[in-house]
Amino acid sequence: MADTQYILPNDIGVSSLDCREAFRLLLPTERLYAHHLSRAAWYGGLAVLLQTSPEAPYIYALLSRLFRAQDPDQLRQHALAEGLTEEEYQAFLVYTAGVYSNMGNYKSFGDTKFVPNLPKEKLERVILGSKAAEQHPEEVGGLWQTCGELMFSLESRLRHLGLGKEGITTYFSGNCTMEDAKLAQDFLDSQNLSAYNTRLFKEVGQDGKPCYEVRLASVLSTEPILDSEMNSKLKSYEFQGSNFRVTRGDYAPILQKVVEHLEKAKAYAATSHQEQMLAQYIESFTHGSIEAHKKGSRFWIQDKAPIVESYIGFIESYRDPFGSRGEFEGFVAMVNKAMSAKFERLVASAEQLLKELPWPPAFEKDKFLTPDFTSLDVLTFAGSGIPAGINIPNYDDLRQTEGFKNVSLGNVLAVAYATQREKLTFLEEEDKDLYIRWKGPSFDVQVGLHELLGHGSGKLFVQDEKGTFNFDQETVINPETGEQIQSWYRSGETWDSKFSTIASSYEECRAESVGLYLCLNPQVLEIFGFEGADAEDVVYVNWLNMVRAGLLALEFYTPEASSWRQAHMQARFVILRVLLEAGEGLVTVTPTTGSDGRPDAQVHLDRNKIRTVGKPALERFLRRLQVLKSTGDVAGGRALYEGYAAVTDAPPECFLSLRDTVLLRKEARKLIVQPNTRLEGSEVQLLEYEASAAGLIRSFSERFPEDGPELEEILTQLATADARFWKCPSETPSGQA
């Protein structure tokens, strides 16, 4: 059997998202709006399969065919008759649920491959003897032939997402390296093109020179159309001795379905802002224009306090090994009024709280653009995973001048981060009850501060295309050097493009640090309803949770490549290192032996030193993070961040050894079962499913009732069309699990 690091355990936690009451309160037109937005999101989410691994679309198609022909109970009878044990069949259900939840066979949180925890030969018997195979023997047999080996393969390069020799990715062709990614980014910057909706494919021309295809996601291909903004970009270029060709049409048939449902949603829009927002999204997905998506995002920012909230597009760049390309995601949610009222009070206090942050006023935005901040109950979240909160859009120019929105996903927080006492690791016994009581409330505070004042704070120093600066070169002084500002962002440069591979994690670290720093403010705690001893417990558990998370983060570090696989967890490890460095016994991490006789560890946080030792250390670190970000000082930012992110076995913590303990005692991330909406006549019904692997599979089997087989055909055709850019899945050598 496979190393436990690469399987999902049979007892993995599974929770259902509860949005029944919020959905019940929607008006009929609001339900129709939410339904069509949800359909658009679910269709678009299928593109993630093509953004993950060469085999992911085939695996999805194979599993979907199996469970459409026989539901989990029916297939169980067949599997047991074929000789599988109950445990092996459950392992297959968990694997399938994992593929659906992550939209691929790599974990969205950690980018590690997971494989079925049963013998390949047994699974082959189940698949080839299934009802789906009886009905369509060539198709099912062909899918298994194409992806069966890779489904189980743990060849070293295939264990993690990454670029070149570091892992597998389908954002780039298999022959691309980090140097190719950097050259492509320089090319994109030179043409003022965003990488968000692109993939990069490299071939070698007859002259021996590399030829790069930058392919934009769009419904339209390269045929001429009255579309001057994009048409002028669709051509060949010579750049730094290499040939570049900008094309479009990536994911075209999938995006066509997204556009169809966005058009239908427009008919039920509640405001003109929503109509214009959707029109621009349609333009963006049709033509491949990020500028149109930015225009849509402007209308989205202006659409204040909608009953039904949503966002859709190529958004987060965490899984691009270079850190610039966005993974498709779409969400639809309804407002939770009680928690939103607290967030509104936090927004009202934001300008005052920003002054508490430890950098000079010149390093803060010239004007705080008051955002929406709502707590939402999620109806649909399509993509590779569901976060706890979001601060979007990610476009630097919009964030600096137009603003942003913050959302906290209340019903996700309620189920995804709940902890059972017996599964609590690395805490002192006397902390466990306190932790369980206050983790949820403290996390509400942390998410609020992280999203609103973490991601929402800080200025980028920019020189625009006309040579104009957005800061006073004469008077603004770098507080770290005492000198005038020496570096900044040029026109076309963004935070992601400059800081590339560390950008996401660095920014998450800055936002997490802001949350820890500002949660010490009594005014913040009072907004959330905490005073006196309760407030102190919230602070303590918030800091304790971050310290523990820093230790748990070691699961996502790969010693062989000296690299991190998850931005948020790397950020939390860095904060742990900062607090350990503060000394004076503020934080200790001690290796121990557990009651089961196996290696264990314990984190200790001295609650009496949080303000006297922890706060000053965090203050110094936060100021350095912001100054380096504002000035675009990539060299300084890398030196600071990568220094803290380094994992060694140096005493006293011996983190490399502790990583083995963390892996030994890790708990798998929960799977989330989401509902479906179905249009029956003119009414929208909410379909809910049980909190189990089988329930999650049923939710996907019923997600595309009209066109499931067509979608699977589309996915496999798109994957096959590009298969030459990687080793053909059926030919890839396997390191068998």
Side-chain angles (χ1 to χ4, degrees):
M1 290 293 101
D3 183 326
T4 56
Q5 196 178 163
Y6 303 106
I7 60 168
L8 302 178
N10 278 12
D11 64 351
I12 192 169
V14 185
S15 297
S16 291
L17 275 190
D18 179 9
C19 62
R20 188 182 313 152
E21 182 61 16
F23 186 80
R24 186 185 68 79
L25 294 172
L26 294 181
L27 298 173
T29 53
E30 292 166 346
R31 290 187 183 188
L32 285 161
Y33 182 65
H35 167 72
H36 288 297
L37 289 176
S38 291
R39 301 310 299 152
W42 285 125
Y43 280 120
L46 296 173
V48 176
L49 293 159
L50 295 155
Q51 294 180 300
T52 300
S53 70
E55 69 274 15
Y58 301 104
I59 294 173
Y60 173 89
L62 177 62
L63 297 175
S64 296
R65 282 181 177 272
L66 279 180
F67 286 103
R68 186 183 306 109
Q70 292 169 282
D71 73 19
D73 291 338
Q74 294 166 336
L75 194 63
R76 174 178 172 273
Q77 299 306 319
H78 163 61
L80 296 181
E82 288 287 355
L84 266 68
T85 65
E86 289 280 8
E87 291 73 22
E88 287 168 338
Y89 183 62
Q90 178 63 19
F92 178 52
L93 291 183
V94 166
Y95 175 79
T96 303
V99 169
Y100 287 149
S101 290
N102 293 278
M103 269 292 102
N105 56 331
Y106 286 76
K107 296 175 189 173
S108 66
F109 207 81
D111 296 343
T112 302
K113 187 173 186 176
F114 57 95
V115 300
N117 190 25
L118 70 158
K120 178 171 174 277
E121 300 72 26
K122 285 192 170 184
L123 182 56
E124 183 173 31
R125 287 206 304 272
V126 171
I127 289 170
L128 298 184
S130 67
K131 191 172 179 181
E134 280 179 32
Q135 295 170 344
H136 304 283
E138 287 187 17
E139 288 96 327
V140 172
L143 287 169
W144 174 252
Q145 183 67 31
T146 303
C147 69
E149 291 290 327
L150 275 177
M151 187 187 285
F152 282 83
S153 176
L154 285 174
E155 181 190 343
S156 59
R157 186 190 168 205
L158 304 181
R159 293 175 183 175
H160 307 289
L161 296 181
L163 191 53
K165 296 176 182 176
E166 303 299 325
I168 191 75
T169 177
T170 45
Y171 283 115
F172 298 86
S173 56
N175 56 353
C176 282
T177 64
M178 198 58 79
E179 289 70 32
D180 294 315
K182 177 68 173 73
L183 177 66
Q185 186 63 58
D186 290 343
F187 165 72
L188 290 167
D189 289 345
S190 75
Q191 298 302 316
N192 202 26
L193 273 170
S194 170
Y196 270 119
N197 65 340
T198 71
R199 292 197 288 169
L200 184 72
F201 302 93
K202 174 185 174 183
E203 295 185 284
V204 179
Q206 291 182 345
D207 57 2
K209 288 167 65 173
C211 180
Y212 299 93
E213 179 193 0
V214 174
R215 191 188 302 167
L216 312 179
S218 67
V219 175
L220 294 176
S221 189
T222 50
E223 67 274 3
I225 202 86
L226 293 175
D227 166 29
S228 57
E229 183 226 328
M230 293 312 301
N231 264 1
S232 63
K233 304 284 189 184
L234 301 172
K235 59 185 181 184
S236 295
Y237 303 77
E238 173 115 3
F239 182 77
Q240 294 184 12
S242 296
N243 296 316
F244 278 84
R245 189 163 54 97
V246 178
T247 67
R248 67 180 173 187
D250 216 0
Y251 326 119
I254 292 172
L255 291 176
Q256 176 64 49
K257 290 180 179 289
V258 173
V259 164
E260 287 170 7
H261 279 279
L262 292 179
E263 286 281 10
K264 290 177 180 177
K266 241 171 72 177
Y268 304 105
T271 66
S272 62
H273 283 137
Q274 288 177 1
E275 284 183 39
Q276 293 172 90
M277 167 189 84
L278 293 175
Q280 291 298 328
Y281 291 163
I282 291 165
E283 169 85 6
S284 174
F285 298 143
T286 301
H287 297 292
S289 168
I290 288 295
E291 283 305 312
H293 197 268
K294 283 186 181 180
K295 290 176 184 174
S297 297
R298 283 192 178 93
F299 289 119
W300 180 71
I301 293 166
Q302 294 162 16
D303 185 32
K304 303 288 188 184
I307 300 298
V308 177
E309 184 61 282
S310 70
Y311 197 61
I312 191 169
F314 297 89
I315 312 299
E316 301 294 355
S317 58
Y318 301 128
R319 298 181 96 194
D320 169 13
F322 189 72
S324 293
R325 286 153 191 80
E327 184 175 80
F328 195 96
E329 72 178 41
F331 79 84
V332 184
M334 293 82 67
V335 173
N336 177 318
K337 292 182 179 177
M339 182 56 80
S340 294
K342 295 177 182 178
F343 288 143
E344 284 170 16
R345 288 187 60 202
L346 188 64
V347 170
S349 306
E351 286 192 79
Q352 192 58 41
L353 291 170
L354 283 171
K355 296 173 184 175
E356 304 288 322
L357 292 172
W359 48 78
F363 287 74
E364 193 46 71
K365 292 186 181 76
D366 301 333
K367 184 179 190 314
F368 180 70
L369 300 157
T370 305
D372 247 13
F373 196 170
T374 48
S375 177
L376 303 174
D377 284 341
V378 172
L379 170 65
T380 296
F381 205 112
S384 66
I386 311 179
I390 319 171
N391 175 287
I392 38 181
N394 286 331
Y395 305 120
D396 291 335
D397 48 351
L398 292 194
R399 295 173 64 79
Q400 296 284 317
T401 59
E402 312 256 348
F404 51 87
K405 279 187 184 181
N406 297 277
V407 296
S408 173
L409 305 179
N411 59 341
V412 176
L413 285 169
V415 297
Y417 296 91
T419 310
Q420 296 172 290
R421 195 181 196 282
E422 60 272 19
K423 290 191 174 183
L424 261 184
T425 53
F426 308 132
L427 291 182
E428 295 171 317
E429 202 59 34
E430 56 268 30
D431 279 335
K432 288 184 178 179
D433 290 332
L434 196 70
Y435 183 89
I436 287 169
R437 181 181 176 190
W438 293 110
K439 185 190 175 189
S442 72
F443 203 61
D444 285 336
V445 175
Q446 179 69 10
V447 168
L449 294 171
H450 172 118
E451 300 296 347
L452 175 67
L453 297 162
H455 292 314
S457 64
K459 178 176 180 173
L460 302 185
F461 294 155
V462 177
Q463 182 183 24
D464 66 20
E465 65 277 2
K466 297 175 183 174
T468 305
F469 291 89
N470 69 343
F471 65 98
D472 190 327
Q473 286 183 283
E474 298 297 319
T475 61
V476 177
I477 300 297
N478 183 325
E480 295 295 304
T481 65
E483 300 172 354
Q484 291 178 330
I485 304 304
Q486 303 294 317
S487 58
W488 49 83
Y489 296 78
R490 265 72 178 181
S491 176
E493 290 182 332
T494 66
W495 164 248
D496 279 338
S497 71
K498 272 185 84 72
F499 282 74
S500 64
T501 53
I502 67 165
S504 293
S505 183
Y506 188 111
E507 174 59 12
E508 291 305 325
C509 185
R510 198 182 67 87
E512 291 282 44
S513 298
V514 166
L516 283 187
Y517 187 76
L518 289 179
C519 83
L520 299 170
N521 188 306
Q523 180 188 356
V524 168
L525 296 165
E526 189 273 325
I527 286 170
F528 284 88
F530 307 120
E531 295 177 314
D534 285 355
E536 289 305 303
D537 284 344
V538 166
V539 168
Y540 176 63
V541 170
N542 196 32
W543 278 60
L544 181 64
N545 187 48
M546 189 64 68
V547 169
R548 177 176 180 260
L551 180 60
L552 294 174
L554 288 168
E555 175 191 344
F556 301 95
Y557 179 76
T558 305
E560 299 81 4
S562 300
S563 65
W564 286 89
R565 305 187 311 275
Q566 216 290 326
H568 295 79
M569 299 311 283
Q570 180 183 10
R572 290 161 190 168
F573 177 77
V574 167
I575 292 171
L576 170 61
R577 288 284 311 277
V578 169
L579 298 180
L580 282 165
E581 189 182 81
E584 298 187 42
L586 171 69
V587 172
T588 56
V589 181
T590 309
T592 62
T593 301
S595 58
D596 57 4
R598 300 187 301 170
D600 207 338
Q602 232 169 45
V603 296
H604 172 76
L605 169 69
D606 188 335
R607 66 186 299 162
N608 297 316
K609 293 179 179 174
I610 290 175
R611 285 184 168 81
T612 57
V613 179
K615 183 180 180 183
L618 205 56
E619 187 171 295
R620 291 188 295 272
F621 177 63
L622 247 181
R623 181 166 52 245
R624 292 177 72 191
L625 284 179
Q626 182 57 50
V627 168
L628 292 164
K629 181 182 178 181
S630 289
T631 58
D633 183 352
V634 179
R638 280 195 179 278
L640 173 69
Y641 199 69
E642 291 175 348
Y644 278 114
V647 179
T648 72
D649 232 6
E653 287 81 27
C654 305
F655 282 119
L656 277 177
S657 298
L658 276 174
R659 178 178 176 273
D660 294 335
T661 304
V662 170
L663 290 175
L664 181 70
R665 298 189 176 275
K666 74 184 179 78
E667 182 183 359
R669 195 170 173 83
K670 282 184 181 176
L671 303 179
I672 305 291
V673 182
Q674 299 188 53
N676 286 318
T677 55
R678 180 165 296 169
L679 191 56
E680 296 181 1
S682 60
E683 292 190 4
V684 179
Q685 304 298 326
L686 184 71
L687 307 179
E688 297 175 287
Y689 303 88
E690 68 176 22
S692 67
L696 200 156
I697 291 167
R698 286 190 180 96
S699 74
F700 266 87
S701 295
E702 296 182 11
R703 193 140 283 155
F704 303 107
E706 307 91 357
D707 51 7
E710 178 198 346
L711 290 170
E712 290 140 31
E713 185 73 17
I714 286 170
L715 285 165
T716 55
Q717 286 177 352
L718 290 174
T720 302
D722 287 329
R724 72 184 190 279
F725 291 114
W726 302 274
K727 286 183 179 178
C728 183
S730 61
E731 296 172 4
T732 300
S734 63
Q736 284 303 307

